[in-house]
PDB file of all heavy atoms in Angstrom:
ATOM      1  N   TRP A   1      71.362  37.623  28.936  1.00  0.00           N
ATOM      2  CA  TRP A   1      69.977  38.043  29.137  1.00  0.00           C
ATOM      3  C   TRP A   1      69.151  36.974  29.849  1.00  0.00           C
ATOM      4  O   TRP A   1      68.053  37.268  30.337  1.00  0.00           O
ATOM      5  CB  TRP A   1      69.312  38.368  27.792  1.00  0.00           C
ATOM      6  CG  TRP A   1      69.711  39.690  27.241  1.00  0.00           C
ATOM      7  CD1 TRP A   1      70.618  39.932  26.240  1.00  0.00           C
ATOM      8  CD2 TRP A   1      69.230  40.970  27.663  1.00  0.00           C
ATOM      9  NE1 TRP A   1      70.731  41.277  26.009  1.00  0.00           N
ATOM     10  CE2 TRP A   1      69.893  41.943  26.873  1.00  0.00           C
ATOM     11  CE3 TRP A   1      68.323  41.399  28.632  1.00  0.00           C
ATOM     12  CZ2 TRP A   1      69.660  43.311  27.020  1.00  0.00           C
ATOM     13  CZ3 TRP A   1      68.084  42.756  28.785  1.00  0.00           C
ATOM     14  CH2 TRP A   1      68.753  43.689  27.988  1.00  0.00           C
ATOM     15  N   VAL A   2      69.675  35.750  29.903  1.00  0.00           N
ATOM     16  CA  VAL A   2      68.913  34.657  30.521  1.00  0.00           C
ATOM     17  C   VAL A   2      68.628  34.913  32.004  1.00  0.00           C
ATOM     18  O   VAL A   2      67.483  34.769  32.447  1.00  0.00           O
ATOM     19  CB  VAL A   2      69.640  33.309  30.311  1.00  0.00           C
ATOM     20  CG1 VAL A   2      68.967  32.201  31.123  1.00  0.00           C
ATOM     21  CG2 VAL A   2      69.659  32.939  28.841  1.00  0.00           C
ATOM     22  N   PRO A   3      69.623  35.306  32.829  1.00  0.00           N
ATOM     23  CA  PRO A   3      69.309  35.595  34.235  1.00  0.00           C
ATOM     24  C   PRO A   3      68.315  36.735  34.400  1.00  0.00           C
ATOM     25  O   PRO A   3      67.474  36.700  35.314  1.00  0.00           O
ATOM     26  CB  PRO A   3      70.674  35.956  34.843  1.00  0.00           C
ATOM     27  CG  PRO A   3      71.681  35.362  33.921  1.00  0.00           C
ATOM     28  CD  PRO A   3      71.082  35.418  32.571  1.00  0.00           C
ATOM     29  N   VAL A   4      68.415  37.736  33.519  1.00  0.00           N
ATOM     30  CA  VAL A   4      67.470  38.860  33.587  1.00  0.00           C
ATOM     31  C   VAL A   4      66.061  38.363  33.286  1.00  0.00           C
ATOM     32  O   VAL A   4      65.091  38.689  33.997  1.00  0.00           O
ATOM     33  CB  VAL A   4      67.879  39.968  32.599  1.00  0.00           C
ATOM     34  CG1 VAL A   4      66.892  41.134  32.673  1.00  0.00           C
ATOM     35  CG2 VAL A   4      69.292  40.452  32.884  1.00  0.00           C
ATOM     36  N   ALA A   5      65.945  37.574  32.206  1.00  0.00           N
ATOM     37  CA  ALA A   5      64.638  37.024  31.839  1.00  0.00           C
ATOM     38  C   ALA A   5      64.097  36.127  32.940  1.00  0.00           C
ATOM     39  O   ALA A   5      62.897  36.153  33.243  1.00  0.00           O
ATOM     40  CB  ALA A   5      64.756  36.249  30.526  1.00  0.00           C
ATOM     41  N   LEU A   6      64.980  35.357  33.564  1.00  0.00           N
ATOM     42  CA  LEU A   6      64.552  34.466  34.649  1.00  0.00           C
ATOM     43  C   LEU A   6      63.995  35.258  35.822  1.00  0.00           C
ATOM     44  O   LEU A   6      62.959  34.898  36.395  1.00  0.00           O
ATOM     45  CB  LEU A   6      65.731  33.599  35.097  1.00  0.00           C
ATOM     46  CG  LEU A   6      65.446  32.585  36.210  1.00  0.00           C
ATOM     47  CD1 LEU A   6      64.368  31.598  35.776  1.00  0.00           C
ATOM     48  CD2 LEU A   6      66.720  31.843  36.599  1.00  0.00           C
ATOM     49  N   CYS A   7      64.649  36.343  36.181  1.00  0.00           N
ATOM     50  CA  CYS A   7      64.160  37.199  37.282  1.00  0.00           C
ATOM     51  C   CYS A   7      62.796  37.785  36.963  1.00  0.00           C
ATOM     52  O   CYS A   7      61.902  37.823  37.820  1.00  0.00           O
ATOM     53  CB  CYS A   7      65.162  38.314  37.567  1.00  0.00           C
ATOM     54  SG  CYS A   7      66.700  37.759  38.328  1.00  0.00           S
ATOM     55  N   VAL A   8      62.614  38.239  35.721  1.00  0.00           N
ATOM     56  CA  VAL A   8      61.332  38.824  35.316  1.00  0.00           C
ATOM     57  C   VAL A   8      60.232  37.762  35.338  1.00  0.00           C
ATOM     58  O   VAL A   8      59.105  38.021  35.784  1.00  0.00           O
ATOM     59  CB  VAL A   8      61.455  39.463  33.915  1.00  0.00           C
ATOM     60  CG1 VAL A   8      60.092  39.917  33.404  1.00  0.00           C
ATOM     61  CG2 VAL A   8      62.399  40.649  33.956  1.00  0.00           C
ATOM     62  N   ILE A   9      60.551  36.563  34.864  1.00  0.00           N
ATOM     63  CA  ILE A   9      59.569  35.472  34.887  1.00  0.00           C
ATOM     64  C   ILE A   9      59.192  35.119  36.323  1.00  0.00           C
ATOM     65  O   ILE A   9      58.019  34.878  36.640  1.00  0.00           O
ATOM     66  CB  ILE A   9      60.125  34.246  34.142  1.00  0.00           C
ATOM     67  CG1 ILE A   9      60.191  34.527  32.636  1.00  0.00           C
ATOM     68  CG2 ILE A   9      59.258  33.010  34.400  1.00  0.00           C
ATOM     69  CD1 ILE A   9      60.871  33.433  31.835  1.00  0.00           C
ATOM     70  N   LEU A  10      60.171  35.094  37.221  1.00  0.00           N
ATOM     71  CA  LEU A  10      59.892  34.778  38.619  1.00  0.00           C
ATOM     72  C   LEU A  10      59.039  35.855  39.281  1.00  0.00           C
ATOM     73  O   LEU A  10      58.160  35.552  40.096  1.00  0.00           O
ATOM     74  CB  LEU A  10      61.203  34.601  39.388  1.00  0.00           C
ATOM     75  CG  LEU A  10      62.013  33.341  39.045  1.00  0.00           C
ATOM     76  CD1 LEU A  10      63.356  33.362  39.756  1.00  0.00           C
ATOM     77  CD2 LEU A  10      61.241  32.078  39.421  1.00  0.00           C
ATOM     78  N   LEU A  11      59.279  37.116  38.927  1.00  0.00           N
ATOM     79  CA  LEU A  11      58.458  38.201  39.468  1.00  0.00           C
ATOM     80  C   LEU A  11      57.016  38.076  38.989  1.00  0.00           C
ATOM     81  O   LEU A  11      56.070  38.345  39.734  1.00  0.00           O
ATOM     82  CB  LEU A  11      59.037  39.561  39.073  1.00  0.00           C
ATOM     83  CG  LEU A  11      60.292  40.001  39.829  1.00  0.00           C
ATOM     84  CD1 LEU A  11      60.871  41.263  39.208  1.00  0.00           C
ATOM     85  CD2 LEU A  11      59.978  40.229  41.310  1.00  0.00           C
ATOM     86  N   ASN A  12      56.859  37.668  37.724  1.00  0.00           N
ATOM     87  CA  ASN A  12      55.511  37.407  37.226  1.00  0.00           C
ATOM     88  C   ASN A  12      54.909  36.192  37.915  1.00  0.00           C
ATOM     89  O   ASN A  12      53.718  36.174  38.248  1.00  0.00           O
ATOM     90  CB  ASN A  12      55.529  37.192  35.711  1.00  0.00           C
ATOM     91  CG  ASN A  12      55.494  38.489  34.930  1.00  0.00           C
ATOM     92  OD1 ASN A  12      54.452  39.129  34.823  1.00  0.00           O
ATOM     93  ND2 ASN A  12      56.625  38.901  34.401  1.00  0.00           N
ATOM     94  N   GLY A  13      55.741  35.176  38.136  1.00  0.00           N
ATOM     95  CA  GLY A  13      55.253  33.983  38.820  1.00  0.00           C
ATOM     96  C   GLY A  13      54.807  34.260  40.240  1.00  0.00           C
ATOM     97  O   GLY A  13      53.857  33.648  40.740  1.00  0.00           O
ATOM     98  N   LEU A  14      55.462  35.226  40.900  1.00  0.00           N
ATOM     99  CA  LEU A  14      55.107  35.550  42.282  1.00  0.00           C
ATOM    100  C   LEU A  14      53.735  36.196  42.361  1.00  0.00           C
ATOM    101  O   LEU A  14      52.915  35.815  43.209  1.00  0.00           O
ATOM    102  CB  LEU A  14      56.176  36.459  42.895  1.00  0.00           C
ATOM    103  CG  LEU A  14      55.962  36.859  44.360  1.00  0.00           C
ATOM    104  CD1 LEU A  14      55.826  35.628  45.246  1.00  0.00           C
ATOM    105  CD2 LEU A  14      57.101  37.747  44.855  1.00  0.00           C
ATOM    106  N   TRP A  15      53.464  37.173  41.487  1.00  0.00           N
ATOM    107  CA  TRP A  15      52.139  37.798  41.566  1.00  0.00           C
ATOM    108  C   TRP A  15      51.050  36.810  41.152  1.00  0.00           C
ATOM    109  O   TRP A  15      49.931  36.830  41.694  1.00  0.00           O
ATOM    110  CB  TRP A  15      52.055  39.090  40.768  1.00  0.00           C
ATOM    111  CG  TRP A  15      51.989  39.020  39.270  1.00  0.00           C
ATOM    112  CD1 TRP A  15      52.986  39.309  38.387  1.00  0.00           C
ATOM    113  CD2 TRP A  15      50.840  38.689  38.465  1.00  0.00           C
ATOM    114  NE1 TRP A  15      52.539  39.158  37.087  1.00  0.00           N
ATOM    115  CE2 TRP A  15      51.232  38.788  37.113  1.00  0.00           C
ATOM    116  CE3 TRP A  15      49.528  38.317  38.760  1.00  0.00           C
ATOM    117  CZ2 TRP A  15      50.360  38.519  36.049  1.00  0.00           C
ATOM    118  CZ3 TRP A  15      48.653  38.039  37.702  1.00  0.00           C
ATOM    119  CH2 TRP A  15      49.079  38.142  36.367  1.00  0.00           C
ATOM    120  N   MET A  16      51.364  35.921  40.214  1.00  0.00           N
ATOM    121  CA  MET A  16      50.374  34.915  39.821  1.00  0.00           C
ATOM    122  C   MET A  16      50.070  33.976  40.980  1.00  0.00           C
ATOM    123  O   MET A  16      48.907  33.623  41.223  1.00  0.00           O
ATOM    124  CB  MET A  16      50.888  34.118  38.620  1.00  0.00           C
ATOM    125  CG  MET A  16      50.944  34.896  37.316  1.00  0.00           C
ATOM    126  SD  MET A  16      51.583  33.868  35.970  1.00  0.00           S
ATOM    127  CE  MET A  16      51.797  35.101  34.682  1.00  0.00           C
ATOM    128  N   ALA A  17      51.123  33.549  41.701  1.00  0.00           N
ATOM    129  CA  ALA A  17      50.920  32.644  42.836  1.00  0.00           C
ATOM    130  C   ALA A  17      50.109  33.326  43.937  1.00  0.00           C
ATOM    131  O   ALA A  17      49.201  32.714  44.518  1.00  0.00           O
ATOM    132  CB  ALA A  17      52.269  32.170  43.373  1.00  0.00           C
ATOM    133  N   LEU A  18      50.425  34.581  44.226  1.00  0.00           N
ATOM    134  CA  LEU A  18      49.695  35.302  45.269  1.00  0.00           C
ATOM    135  C   LEU A  18      48.237  35.528  44.882  1.00  0.00           C
ATOM    136  O   LEU A  18      47.324  35.319  45.694  1.00  0.00           O
ATOM    137  CB  LEU A  18      50.370  36.643  45.552  1.00  0.00           C
ATOM    138  CG  LEU A  18      51.753  36.593  46.209  1.00  0.00           C
ATOM    139  CD1 LEU A  18      52.362  37.994  46.259  1.00  0.00           C
ATOM    140  CD2 LEU A  18      51.675  35.994  47.611  1.00  0.00           C
ATOM    141  N   LEU A  19      48.005  35.939  43.639  1.00  0.00           N
ATOM    142  CA  LEU A  19      46.642  36.244  43.198  1.00  0.00           C
ATOM    143  C   LEU A  19      45.820  34.975  43.004  1.00  0.00           C
ATOM    144  O   LEU A  19      44.721  34.839  43.567  1.00  0.00           O
ATOM    145  CB  LEU A  19      46.680  37.043  41.896  1.00  0.00           C
ATOM    146  CG  LEU A  19      45.315  37.394  41.279  1.00  0.00           C
ATOM    147  CD1 LEU A  19      44.505  38.247  42.237  1.00  0.00           C
ATOM    148  CD2 LEU A  19      45.487  38.106  39.942  1.00  0.00           C
ATOM    149  N   PHE A  20      46.347  34.040  42.216  1.00  0.00           N
ATOM    150  CA  PHE A  20      45.591  32.816  41.942  1.00  0.00           C
ATOM    151  C   PHE A  20      45.476  31.947  43.193  1.00  0.00           C
ATOM    152  O   PHE A  20      44.472  31.256  43.386  1.00  0.00           O
ATOM    153  CB  PHE A  20      46.249  32.027  40.812  1.00  0.00           C
ATOM    154  CG  PHE A  20      46.279  32.762  39.505  1.00  0.00           C
ATOM    155  CD1 PHE A  20      47.264  32.527  38.571  1.00  0.00           C
ATOM    156  CD2 PHE A  20      45.307  33.696  39.202  1.00  0.00           C
ATOM    157  CE1 PHE A  20      47.296  33.197  37.362  1.00  0.00           C
ATOM    158  CE2 PHE A  20      45.320  34.390  37.996  1.00  0.00           C
ATOM    159  CZ  PHE A  20      46.326  34.136  37.073  1.00  0.00           C
ATOM    160  N   GLY A  21      46.519  31.973  44.033  1.00  0.00           N
ATOM    161  CA  GLY A  21      46.442  31.229  45.286  1.00  0.00           C
ATOM    162  C   GLY A  21      45.360  31.779  46.199  1.00  0.00           C
ATOM    163  O   GLY A  21      44.638  31.028  46.857  1.00  0.00           O
ATOM    164  N   LEU A  22      45.244  33.109  46.231  1.00  0.00           N
ATOM    165  CA  LEU A  22      44.204  33.763  47.032  1.00  0.00           C
ATOM    166  C   LEU A  22      42.811  33.410  46.515  1.00  0.00           C
ATOM    167  O   LEU A  22      41.921  33.029  47.287  1.00  0.00           O
ATOM    168  CB  LEU A  22      44.412  35.276  47.000  1.00  0.00           C
ATOM    169  CG  LEU A  22      43.395  36.145  47.728  1.00  0.00           C
ATOM    170  CD1 LEU A  22      43.566  35.989  49.231  1.00  0.00           C
ATOM    171  CD2 LEU A  22      43.554  37.605  47.337  1.00  0.00           C
ATOM    172  N   LEU A  23      42.625  33.517  45.194  1.00  0.00           N
ATOM    173  CA  LEU A  23      41.322  33.207  44.604  1.00  0.00           C
ATOM    174  C   LEU A  23      40.977  31.736  44.766  1.00  0.00           C
ATOM    175  O   LEU A  23      39.808  31.383  44.990  1.00  0.00           O
ATOM    176  CB  LEU A  23      41.332  33.587  43.110  1.00  0.00           C
ATOM    177  CG  LEU A  23      41.470  35.075  42.792  1.00  0.00           C
ATOM    178  CD1 LEU A  23      41.568  35.287  41.291  1.00  0.00           C
ATOM    179  CD2 LEU A  23      40.290  35.866  43.355  1.00  0.00           C
ATOM    180  N   SER A  24      41.997  30.870  44.661  1.00  0.00           N
ATOM    181  CA  SER A  24      41.756  29.430  44.796  1.00  0.00           C
ATOM    182  C   SER A  24      41.380  29.053  46.218  1.00  0.00           C
ATOM    183  O   SER A  24      40.598  28.118  46.433  1.00  0.00           O
ATOM    184  CB  SER A  24      42.997  28.651  44.357  1.00  0.00           C
ATOM    185  OG  SER A  24      43.308  28.903  43.002  1.00  0.00           O
ATOM    186  N   ALA A  25      41.960  29.757  47.196  1.00  0.00           N
ATOM    187  CA  ALA A  25      41.603  29.486  48.584  1.00  0.00           C
ATOM    188  C   ALA A  25      40.130  29.809  48.843  1.00  0.00           C
ATOM    189  O   ALA A  25      39.471  29.140  49.640  1.00  0.00           O
ATOM    190  CB  ALA A  25      42.501  30.294  49.519  1.00  0.00           C
TER     191      ALA A  25
END
């Protein structure tokens, strides 16, 4: 389950980076 959890965490990390990066800019 670790690779599955890692993929889900990365998908969450991607939207956070896009959203927070946009707001921070």
